[in-house]
Coordinates of all heavy atoms in Angstrom, one line a residue:
Q45 N 9.4 54.5 -34.6 CA 9.6 55.9 -34.2 C 10.8 56.4 -34.9 O 10.9 57.5 -35.4 CB 9.6 56.0 -32.7 CG 8.2 55.8 -32.1 CD 8.3 55.7 -30.5 OE1 9.4 55.6 -30.0 NE2 7.2 55.8 -29.9
A46 N 11.9 55.6 -34.8 CA 13.2 56.1 -35.4 C 13.0 56.2 -36.9 O 13.5 57.2 -37.5 CB 14.3 55.1 -35.1
A47 N 12.3 55.3 -37.6 CA 12.1 55.5 -39.0 C 11.2 56.7 -39.4 O 11.5 57.4 -40.3 CB 11.4 54.2 -39.6
E48 N 10.2 57.0 -38.5 CA 9.4 58.2 -38.8 C 10.2 59.4 -38.6 O 10.1 60.4 -39.4 CB 8.2 58.2 -37.8 CG 7.2 57.2 -38.1 CD 6.1 57.1 -37.1 OE1 6.3 57.6 -35.9 OE2 5.1 56.4 -37.4
R49 N 11.1 59.5 -37.6 CA 12.0 60.6 -37.4 C 12.9 60.8 -38.6 O 13.2 61.9 -39.0 CB 12.8 60.5 -36.1 CG 12.0 60.7 -34.8 CD 12.9 60.9 -33.6 NE 13.8 59.8 -33.4 CZ 13.6 58.7 -32.7 NH1 12.4 58.6 -32.0 NH2 14.5 57.8 -32.5
Y50 N 13.4 59.7 -39.1 CA 14.3 59.7 -40.2 C 13.6 60.3 -41.5 O 14.2 61.2 -42.2 CB 14.9 58.3 -40.5 CG 15.8 58.2 -41.7 CD1 17.1 58.8 -41.7 CD2 15.4 57.6 -42.9 CE1 17.9 58.7 -42.7 CE2 16.2 57.5 -44.0 CZ 17.5 58.1 -43.9 OH 18.3 58.0 -45.0
V51 N 12.4 59.8 -41.7 CA 11.7 60.3 -42.9 C 11.4 61.8 -42.7 O 11.5 62.6 -43.6 CB 10.4 59.5 -43.1 CG1 9.4 60.2 -44.1 CG2 10.7 58.1 -43.5
T52 N 11.0 62.2 -41.5 CA 10.7 63.6 -41.2 C 12.0 64.4 -41.5 O 11.9 65.5 -42.1 CB 10.2 63.8 -39.8 OG1 9.1 63.0 -39.6 CG2 9.9 65.2 -39.5
H53 N 13.1 63.9 -41.0 CA 14.4 64.7 -41.2 C 14.7 64.8 -42.7 O 15.1 65.9 -43.1 CB 15.5 63.9 -40.4 CG 16.9 64.5 -40.7 ND1 17.3 65.7 -40.2 CD2 17.9 64.0 -41.4 CE1 18.5 65.9 -40.6 NE2 18.9 64.9 -41.4
L54 N 14.5 63.7 -43.4 CA 14.8 63.8 -44.9 C 13.9 64.8 -45.6 O 14.4 65.5 -46.4 CB 14.6 62.4 -45.5 CG 15.7 61.4 -45.2 CD1 15.4 60.1 -46.0 CD2 17.1 61.9 -45.7
R55 N 12.7 64.8 -45.2 CA 11.8 65.8 -45.8 C 12.2 67.2 -45.4 O 12.1 68.1 -46.3 CB 10.3 65.5 -45.3 CG 9.8 64.3 -46.0 CD 8.4 64.0 -45.6 NE 7.9 62.8 -46.3 CZ 6.9 62.1 -45.9 NH1 6.3 62.3 -44.8 NH2 6.5 61.0 -46.6
E56 N 12.6 67.5 -44.2 CA 13.0 68.8 -43.8 C 14.2 69.2 -44.5 O 14.4 70.4 -45.0 CB 13.3 68.8 -42.3 CG 12.0 68.8 -41.4 CD 12.3 68.6 -39.9 OE1 13.5 68.6 -39.6 OE2 11.3 68.6 -39.2
V57 N 15.2 68.3 -44.7 CA 16.4 68.6 -45.4 C 16.1 68.9 -46.9 O 16.6 69.9 -47.4 CB 17.4 67.4 -45.4 CG1 18.5 67.6 -46.3 CG2 18.0 67.3 -44.0
A58 N 15.2 68.2 -47.5 CA 14.8 68.4 -48.9 C 14.1 69.8 -49.0 O 14.3 70.5 -49.9 CB 13.8 67.3 -49.4
Q59 N 13.3 70.2 -48.0 CA 12.6 71.5 -48.0 C 13.7 72.6 -47.9 O 13.6 73.6 -48.6 CB 11.6 71.6 -46.9 CG 10.3 70.8 -47.2 CD 9.3 70.8 -46.1 OE1 9.7 71.3 -45.0 NE2 8.2 70.3 -46.3
R60 N 14.6 72.4 -47.0 CA 15.7 73.4 -46.8 C 16.5 73.6 -48.1 O 16.8 74.7 -48.4 CB 16.6 73.0 -45.6 CG 16.0 73.5 -44.3 CD 17.0 73.3 -43.2 NE 16.6 72.1 -42.4 CZ 17.3 71.2 -41.9 NH1 18.6 71.2 -42.1 NH2 16.8 70.2 -41.3
K61 N 16.8 72.5 -48.7 CA 17.6 72.6 -50.0 C 16.8 73.4 -51.0 O 17.3 74.2 -51.7 CB 17.8 71.2 -50.6 CG 18.9 70.4 -50.0 CD 19.0 69.1 -50.8 CE 19.9 68.1 -50.2 NZ 19.9 66.9 -51.0
T62 N 15.5 73.1 -51.1 CA 14.7 73.7 -52.1 C 14.5 75.2 -51.8 O 14.6 76.1 -52.7 CB 13.3 73.1 -52.2 OG1 13.4 71.7 -52.4 CG2 12.4 73.7 -53.3
K63 N 14.3 75.6 -50.5 CA 14.2 77.0 -50.1 C 15.5 77.8 -50.3 O 15.4 78.9 -50.6 CB 13.7 77.0 -48.7 CG 12.2 76.6 -48.5 CD 11.8 76.7 -47.1 CE 10.4 76.2 -46.9 NZ 10.0 76.1 -45.5
S64 N 16.6 77.1 -50.0 CA 17.9 77.9 -50.1 C 18.4 78.0 -51.5 O 19.3 78.8 -51.7 CB 18.9 77.2 -49.2 OG 19.2 75.9 -49.7
G65 N 17.8 77.2 -52.4 CA 18.2 77.4 -53.8 C 19.3 76.5 -54.2 O 19.8 76.6 -55.4
W66 N 19.8 75.6 -53.4 CA 20.9 74.8 -53.8 C 20.5 73.4 -54.2 O 21.3 72.5 -54.3 CB 22.1 74.8 -52.8 CG 21.7 74.3 -51.4 CD1 21.2 75.1 -50.5 CD2 21.9 73.1 -50.8 NE1 21.0 74.4 -49.3 CE2 21.4 73.1 -49.5 CE3 22.4 71.9 -51.3 CZ2 21.5 72.1 -48.6 CZ3 22.5 70.8 -50.4 CH2 22.0 70.9 -49.1
S67 N 19.2 73.2 -54.4 CA 18.7 71.9 -54.8 C 18.7 71.8 -56.4 O 18.5 72.8 -57.1 CB 17.3 71.7 -54.4 OG 16.7 70.5 -54.9
T68 N 19.1 70.7 -56.9 CA 19.1 70.5 -58.3 C 17.7 70.2 -58.8 O 17.4 70.3 -60.0 CB 20.0 69.3 -58.8 OG1 19.6 68.2 -58.1 CG2 21.4 69.7 -58.4
D69 N 16.8 69.9 -58.0 CA 15.4 69.6 -58.4 C 14.6 70.9 -58.4 O 14.4 71.5 -57.3 CB 14.8 68.6 -57.4 CG 13.3 68.3 -57.7 OD1 13.0 68.4 -58.9 OD2 12.6 67.9 -56.8
R70 N 14.3 71.4 -59.5 CA 13.6 72.7 -59.6 C 12.1 72.6 -59.8 O 11.4 73.5 -60.1 CB 14.1 73.5 -60.9 CG 15.6 73.8 -60.7 CD 15.8 74.8 -59.7 NE 17.2 75.1 -59.5 CZ 17.8 75.6 -58.4 NH1 17.0 75.8 -57.4 NH2 19.1 75.8 -58.4
S71 N 11.6 71.4 -59.6 CA 10.1 71.2 -59.8 C 9.3 71.7 -58.6 O 8.1 71.9 -58.7 CB 9.8 69.7 -60.0 OG 10.1 69.0 -58.8
G72 N 10.0 71.9 -57.5 CA 9.3 72.4 -56.3 C 8.6 71.3 -55.6 O 7.9 71.6 -54.6
Q73 N 8.7 70.1 -56.1 CA 8.0 69.0 -55.4 C 9.0 68.4 -54.4 O 10.2 68.4 -54.6 CB 7.5 68.0 -56.4 CG 6.5 68.5 -57.3 CD 6.0 67.4 -58.3 OE1 6.7 66.4 -58.4 NE2 4.9 67.7 -58.9
E74 N 8.4 67.8 -53.4 CA 9.2 67.1 -52.4 C 9.8 65.8 -53.0 O 9.0 65.0 -53.6 CB 8.3 66.7 -51.2 CG 9.1 66.2 -50.1 CD 8.1 66.0 -48.9 OE1 7.5 66.9 -48.5 OE2 7.9 64.8 -48.6

Side-chain angles (χ1 to χ4, degrees):
Q45 290 170 348
E48 287 173 347
R49 285 193 306 268
Y50 178 72
V51 169
T52 304
H53 173 71
L54 285 180
R55 287 182 177 156
E56 289 173 359
V57 168
Q59 286 176 353
R60 276 188 254 142
K61 279 187 194 179
T62 305
K63 288 178 183 175
S64 66
W66 56 278
S67 174
T68 57
D69 180 26
R70 298 291 178 203
S71 65
Q73 295 178 347
E74 186 176 298

